[in-house]
Amino acid sequence: MTFPAERLGRSCPVLCVILLATPASADQSVSLDSLQISAGARVFSQSCLPCHGANSPSALDLTDPIELHRKSPTAAKIVREGVMPPWLPSEMGAPLMHSRKLSDVDRTALLEWLDHSGPGKVPATEVLPPPSQNCELIVRVAENWRVGADPGLTLRSFALSRDHAIDRHAAQYFNAVELVADAPGLVHGISFLWDELGYGARLDASDPAPGYDAVGDIGLNASGSGGGVSRLSTLWRLPKGYAIEIPTDAVLIAEVHAEGRGKVESPAATVRFLAPTEPFKPVHAVSVSAARVAMIATACEAVSISIRAGAHVKSIDVFAKDANGHSRCVLNIPRWNEALSEPWIFDPPLALDAGTELFVRSTVNEVAKDTLVDANASAMNQPMIVLLVADKDADLIREK
Ligand code: HEC
């Protein structure tokens, strides 16, 4: 259900939207420890620990020295074979930031470390310095939702009213989103949409339980057009010089993906939207699916790409076909893993000329081919791709 603004102030003190007037953190110093560990250990920390720490997506905790000691030979073997890190976009697509892809130099350093000095010495998980930006707003997401014990991903959407304390007349922008989950690892990902029409709020209100049982898309606007975070990318940040507008009076829709872990748990999380610190171009969403080719009308720069696709999807390709009919691959994921999905940032931003057509090709596994599915499941078999793009010639916006 939705929480109308007038109820917020009185009875839901922690809920929904709080305005932070002060900068997020005054302390911007970064620990020097990370500079003292070897290159291989640093690669391990950056490329492996996001999935192999405590509470992370795989059951294997390599921050445990005994486990690391035991698994080092296997780890070295599968890194040599290119098995780990897994499920990443391939080199065929456009370059991405923080893709955890190993360069040759990094792979050599990691193998050296795993072979010789790794066991027993576990580098601390890479901790990002606290964002030094002003926080635009904080929301509590999925409050009061309980995820059951059964494994298997579940999805639920939530409509979150904005507190009337926020100055509605001021244009508001953000260029980063930070996820702090109450129970880390339980929530796989949250994608956002700013709903100006109120459909999401109505759906939420008509469902007696918290949230509603459908994807967060509103009409042709796909969830993810307001950015997204995942347990692998808890701080999602657009490149400098780009930001997303929060439309006046819009309701925030959060589409939450979580997975049971053997007990009933609350996937509630705190999400912070961070204001841009320098002049920027506003971005808007372009969504693409098998059923929907997107046409780029004005030359633009794509800065972010996110995907929603179910467990039966096997591979995903996104192509850009220019006005001369020449196609290039923008994103290629040879082996899709729903449980390890995350939003990606193009680095550098991807130039798309006017007249470019974006389209998707994907395959599904044998299970999906053999099973008759309902409309919901069949939608999840068709990846929904959201690109955030800025018009190439857009004027820079400077917020006061
Ligand atoms: C995107 C997430 C992800 C990343 C990044 C990742 N792994 Fe894994 N890894 C997994 C998953 C999932 C498994 C399957 C085992 C499980 O479910 O726990 C696994 C399994 C393993 C295993 C056990 C294999 C076996 O046969 O016993 C080792 C060792 C391993 N990974 C090492 C690494 C190393 C070294 C890196 C860094 C180069 C790495 N992983 C990066 C997700 C990841």
Side-chain angles (χ1 to χ4, degrees):
M1 58 174 284
T2 333
F3 299 90
E6 56 277 16
R7 256 182 58 193
L8 281 174
R10 271 184 266 136
S11 57
C12 311
V14 287
L15 191 84
C16 296
V17 189
I18 305 157
L19 184 68
L20 260 207
T22 47
S25 167
D27 177 17
Q28 292 168 33
S29 64
V30 182
S31 151
L32 287 177
D33 287 359
S34 61
L35 300 176
Q36 282 152 12
I37 59 174
S38 74
R42 208 172 311 131
V43 176
F44 179 74
S45 161
Q46 278 164 1
S47 303
C48 312
L49 290 189
C51 293
H52 289 295
N55 291 320
S56 37
S58 97
L60 178 61
D61 180 1
L62 293 178
T63 58
D64 172 357
I66 297 170
E67 198 68 330
L68 179 64
H69 183 73
R70 213 165 58 81
K71 281 289 182 187
S72 279
T74 321
K77 179 168 172 287
I78 60 181
V79 169
R80 281 201 170 84
E81 289 166 354
V83 176
M84 288 285 147
W87 303 297
L88 291 171
S90 80
E91 306 281 344
M92 275 172 64
L96 299 164
M97 198 185 286
H98 304 309
S99 67
R100 275 186 286 282
K101 259 179 237 166
L102 292 181
S103 66
D104 290 346
V105 173
D106 286 354
R107 174 176 283 108
T108 307
L110 174 63
L111 287 170
E112 164 83 7
W113 185 77
L114 285 171
D115 285 343
H116 301 294
S117 54
K121 279 201 261 167
V122 185
T125 309
E126 188 82 352
V127 179
L128 290 164
S132 57
Q133 281 159 278
N134 286 339
C135 177
E136 191 72 31
L137 55 98
I138 297 184
V139 294
R140 286 285 292 167
V141 173
E143 197 92 86
N144 301 322
W145 183 33
R146 294 278 177 278
V147 169
D150 289 348
L153 278 179
T154 61
L155 175 166
R156 211 164 160 83
S157 298
F158 298 83
L160 305 167
S161 311
R162 290 173 67 196
D163 184 46
H164 50 275
I166 289 173
D167 181 0
R168 284 156 189 270
H169 303 294
Q172 296 190 348
Y173 297 89
F174 65 95
N175 78 337
V177 186
E178 187 193 34
L179 166 71
V180 183
D182 292 7
L186 177 63
V187 170
H188 286 197
I190 309 181
S191 59
F192 300 99
L193 173 84
W194 294 93
D195 172 20
E196 292 169 88
L197 302 171
Y199 291 155
R202 258 169 268 156
L203 282 170
D204 199 330
S206 66
D207 190 318
Y212 59 96
D213 195 13
V215 294
D217 306 354
I218 303 290
L220 290 177
N221 298 323
S223 187
S225 56
V229 279
S230 81
R231 54 191 177 157
L232 294 175
S233 303
T234 52
L235 178 62
W236 173 87
R237 191 194 287 281
L238 293 177
K240 281 190 168 56
Y242 300 91
I244 296 179
E245 180 171 7
I246 302 176
T248 308
D249 292 333
V251 167
L252 177 64
I253 307 294
E255 180 187 295
V256 184
H257 297 240
E259 181 171 22
R261 301 192 292 194
K263 55 180 173 181
V264 177
E265 287 178 274
S266 165
T270 300
V271 177
R272 305 168 67 220
F273 293 82
L274 307 174
T277 51
E278 41 198 287
F280 56 85
K281 293 179 185 176
V283 300
H284 60 270
V286 173
S287 55
V288 191
S289 68
R292 193 197 301 171
V293 171
M295 172 67 89
I296 301 294
T298 320
C300 65
E301 298 149 358
V303 291
S304 154
I305 187 163
S306 61
I307 303 162
R308 178 181 65 219
H312 297 319
V313 171
K314 209 159 78 177
S315 69
I316 303 171
D317 282 276
V318 183
F319 296 97
K321 186 162 96 180
D322 67 21
N324 300 322
H326 175 76
S327 289
R328 67 176 158 152
C329 179
V330 168
L331 183 78
N332 163 255
I333 300 183
R335 272 187 66 212
W336 167 249
N337 185 324
E338 181 192 24
L340 295 171
S341 66
E342 61 187 308
W344 304 99
I345 300 294
F346 289 115
D347 182 27
L350 180 68
L352 298 171
D353 293 332
T356 300
E357 261 176 34
L358 294 165
F359 61 97
V360 184
R361 292 278 177 275
S362 61
T363 59
V364 288
N365 63 20
E366 298 304 321
V367 183
K369 284 181 196 149
D370 296 345
T371 322
L372 275 178
V373 288
D374 59 26
N376 237 342
S378 101
M380 292 304 275
N381 285 346
Q382 304 226 332
M384 171 59 84
I385 315 287
V386 176
L387 288 97
L388 297 180
V389 306
D391 288 348
K392 194 168 158 229
D393 299 323
D395 292 332
L396 286 181
I397 296 175
R398 288 159 217 277
E399 275 208 294
K400 34 177 178 31

